[in-house]
Amino acid sequence: MSSALAAFNRAMDKNDAGKLLLRLAVGGLMLFHGLHKLFDGVGGIQHLLAAHGLPEFIAYGTLAGEVVAPLLIVLGFLTRPAALLVAFTMIVAWLLVGIDKTWMLDKTGAWAIENIVYFFIGALAVACLGAGRYSVAGSAWR
């Protein structure tokens, strides 16, 4: 049994493939949020910022954190800085819309800030791991 388990572990030891899958999940799924704002505008974010007494032009930073950075993550180009930008974007999202929901469940029983936490932790994991071998960038730019 232990030799079968060892063989299985060797077959599944694909760190670069795992990094690619993580990049595709975090960057690819975040990109949907950003594309929505890119096509429909950042008006909703501007209203949230105004309600918190912040300048509305900051809302355009959302496009950097939810469109540009996820694209870089998916491509594996400047992966670590892009991932940290996504993580920062999630902190801002939590402060604007999630802080009151931190200890709540949604109507299906999930943690109310589950998406924010998923993207935050996923982005930190990408920042720690880097792009791996499967990226469009050379090793210095991953």
Side-chain angles (χ1 to χ4, degrees):
M1 180 67 161
S2 65
S3 64
L5 185 56
F8 175 76
N9 285 335
R10 278 192 306 278
M12 293 303 296
D13 189 13
K14 308 291 184 211
N15 289 332
D16 289 315
K19 291 175 184 179
L20 173 63
L21 291 173
L22 182 61
R23 286 186 6 244
L24 292 175
V26 173
L29 293 173
M30 177 54 73
L31 190 56
F32 284 108
H33 293 270
L35 291 176
H36 171 72
K37 291 170 183 77
L38 183 66
F39 297 135
D40 292 344
V42 293
I45 305 296
Q46 287 175 322
H47 294 309
L48 285 170
L49 290 166
H52 285 85
L54 298 168
E56 292 181 7
F57 74 88
I58 296 173
Y60 292 99
T62 304
L63 299 176
E66 294 186 11
V67 177
V68 177
L71 278 173
L72 292 173
I73 290 170
V74 167
L75 294 173
F77 185 74
L78 297 172
T79 306
R80 287 185 164 106
L84 291 176
L85 180 56
V86 170
F88 175 75
T89 302
M90 292 302 96
I91 291 171
V92 174
W94 174 67
L95 291 172
L96 288 178
V97 299
I99 201 162
D100 294 338
K101 301 174 186 175
T102 300
W103 306 112
M104 299 175 72
L105 300 177
D106 69 12
K107 62 184 173 186
T108 63
W111 191 14
I113 60 168
E114 183 175 281
N115 284 342
I116 294 171
V117 174
Y118 162 77
F119 286 115
F120 176 73
I121 293 174
L124 289 181
V126 169
C128 290
L129 294 170
R133 184 173 19 146
Y134 305 123
S135 70
V136 299
S139 61
W141 292 94
R142 290 184 189 151

